[in-house]
Amino acid sequence: MTIRSELRDIMRWLLRRADSPPPPGTGQRHQATEHAAAQRRLLDQANRLRDTQWHRQPIHAVTYVPTTLGQRTSDGTRDHR
């Protein structure tokens, strides 16, 4: 019975052990790979957007109309005093 309990304890210990950590630098390689893939996706998206009609349309400037302090604070909210 002693052997059985020792085997049980060893099995529990083996099952509780954490996985060994990855080799050093593995995370940095994964991060560099993901960064390169994301950069390629962004550049591809930028190239596709550059070819759309939206990109070719001229930008219409909106004229700036200054507002007074009263106009900025009276936006339908209650005054808290």
Side-chain angles (χ1 to χ4, degrees):
M1 189 97 102
T2 319
I3 294 173
R4 185 179 292 172
S5 64
E6 286 185 27
L7 282 175
R8 186 187 69 218
D9 291 342
I10 290 172
M11 288 304 294
R12 284 184 180 174
W13 179 79
L14 285 172
L15 292 175
R16 269 196 318 237
R17 285 184 54 194
D19 294 336
S20 60
T26 304
Q28 292 171 345
R29 285 194 298 271
H30 286 301
Q31 190 176 17
T33 304
E34 290 176 1
H35 178 74
Q39 191 173 16
R40 278 193 304 273
R41 284 192 305 269
L42 285 173
L43 289 173
D44 290 343
Q45 184 181 14
N47 286 333
R48 283 193 310 271
L49 286 175
R50 202 173 289 133
D51 295 335
T52 62
Q53 183 67 27
W54 173 83
H55 183 74
R56 294 187 201 125
Q57 292 177 353
I59 297 174
H60 300 287
V62 178
T63 57
Y64 172 72
V65 179
T67 57
T68 64
L69 181 60
Q71 289 171 329
R72 284 183 287 207
T73 57
S74 63
D75 59 355
T77 59
R78 294 184 184 173
D79 291 329
H80 295 285
R81 296 181 189 187

